[in-house]
Amino acid sequence: MASIVTYDYIKQNPDIMEYIRRADEALETLGYTEHSFPHVERVAFVSSYILETLGYDERTIELVRIAAIMHDIGNVINRVEHAQSGAVMAFRLLDNLNMPASEICSIISAIGNHDESTAQPLNPVSAALIIADKCDVRRSRVRNNDLLTFDIHDRVNYAVKKSSVSFSEDHSSLILNLQIDTEISSVMEYFEIFLERMLLCQKASRYLGVKFELIINDSKIL
């Protein structure tokens, strides 16, 4: 059964766009970094780049884009267990759009497994989503304009001057390359926040048959 549901179709759905907006508003109230359209669209771009580079079919690539743009909607309910609540919300929304069950399964399992506390790469869509989500660290995600009141999450994100995800020439390694201003945050402080996420990226990369590498200020860390 063919599906008319595409990434562009989802982006034009006013209800889903409202859930994304309101979920980010909730996180802003709680003091979290940006989780709105710049984040979910970047995750959609990087996750689709990963699967496209590894030779996955066009529909699987489209499914990861859809999962990416919807992956944080559960925050509108609560930050706690937002991956699971978001997966349930996505099921209802996509089922109402008559998306085939096989495609819904790929999307909701990816959404339900993207948070590091419970995440597992269960399929290519979930593996690519995990990597793209956890690698989105950048200065523009920081909402706080007062450097004196930065918490560690603010400092670590604000310290990142440049961030990119790319493959090695032979496509055997997936590389997160960061340039960090160590006067704002040390490499050790980055690891204090992101070690669990980077280990999860390693696991997700292994599922996809590649290595995961982390380079910070031109030094290979992982």
Side-chain angles (χ1 to χ4, degrees):
M1 176 180 174
S3 175
I4 63 169
V5 181
T6 63
Y7 176 66
D8 289 337
Y9 184 95
I10 293 294
K11 287 184 69 176
Q12 294 171 12
N13 184 294
D15 293 337
I16 296 174
M17 295 301 100
E18 181 68 8
Y19 287 130
I20 295 171
R21 277 190 291 270
R22 293 292 293 274
D24 183 59
E25 286 177 10
L27 292 182
E28 182 176 13
T29 301
L30 295 171
Y32 282 84
T33 53
E34 179 267 317
H35 283 71
S36 190
F37 296 106
H39 171 61
V40 297
E41 289 175 354
R42 182 181 176 101
V43 174
F45 174 80
V46 173
S47 59
S48 61
Y49 159 73
I50 291 169
L51 293 190
E52 183 176 5
T53 303
L54 293 176
Y56 283 87
D57 63 274
E58 290 184 8
R59 189 57 188 166
T60 301
I61 295 167
E62 193 74 4
L63 293 182
V64 82
R65 290 192 184 105
I66 295 170
I69 200 163
M70 298 179 72
H71 79 276
D72 271 336
I73 59 175
N75 286 301
V76 75
I77 297 174
N78 199 298
R79 180 62 178 173
V80 178
E81 297 182 352
H82 75 281
Q84 288 74 33
S85 56
V88 174
M89 291 174 64
F91 164 77
R92 183 179 183 277
L93 291 162
L94 297 173
D95 188 52
N96 285 344
L97 295 175
N98 295 315
M99 179 177 260
S102 60
E103 296 188 348
I104 293 176
C105 285
S106 295
I107 291 171
I108 63 175
S109 63
I111 294 174
N113 280 278
H114 83 271
D115 185 66
E116 56 265 28
S117 61
T118 55
Q120 292 293 332
L122 302 179
N123 54 48
V125 173
S126 63
L129 176 60
I130 285 169
I131 298 165
D133 182 42
K134 302 315 165 195
C135 288
D136 186 19
V137 52
R138 52 190 162 82
R139 177 168 292 187
S140 55
R141 293 194 71 184
V142 179
R143 306 183 204 262
N144 186 356
N145 294 317
D146 183 1
L147 274 69
L148 296 177
T149 61
F150 273 8
D151 64 14
I152 187 172
H153 292 87
D154 291 331
R155 285 196 303 276
V156 166
N157 277 277
Y158 196 82
V160 176
K161 298 186 292 183
K162 186 177 180 181
S163 171
S164 66
V165 176
S166 63
F167 280 90
S168 59
E169 285 190 16
D170 62 359
H171 296 171
S172 65
S173 295
L174 186 58
I175 305 162
L176 172 59
N177 197 326
L178 302 177
Q179 291 293 322
I180 291 179
D181 184 341
T182 54
E183 292 186 4
I184 297 173
S185 177
S186 67
V187 173
M188 185 61 69
E189 195 169 44
Y190 175 88
F191 267 95
E192 184 178 341
I193 296 296
F194 287 104
L195 179 58
E196 185 179 8
R197 301 179 192 184
M198 295 299 96
L199 293 176
L200 183 57
C201 286
Q202 280 189 327
K203 182 186 291 187
S205 296
R206 283 197 299 270
Y207 182 94
L208 294 172
V210 297
K211 297 177 183 177
F212 180 78
E213 296 181 12
L214 173 63
I215 297 175
I216 299 180
N217 292 353
D218 302 318
S219 295
K220 185 175 177 179
I221 308 298
L222 286 177

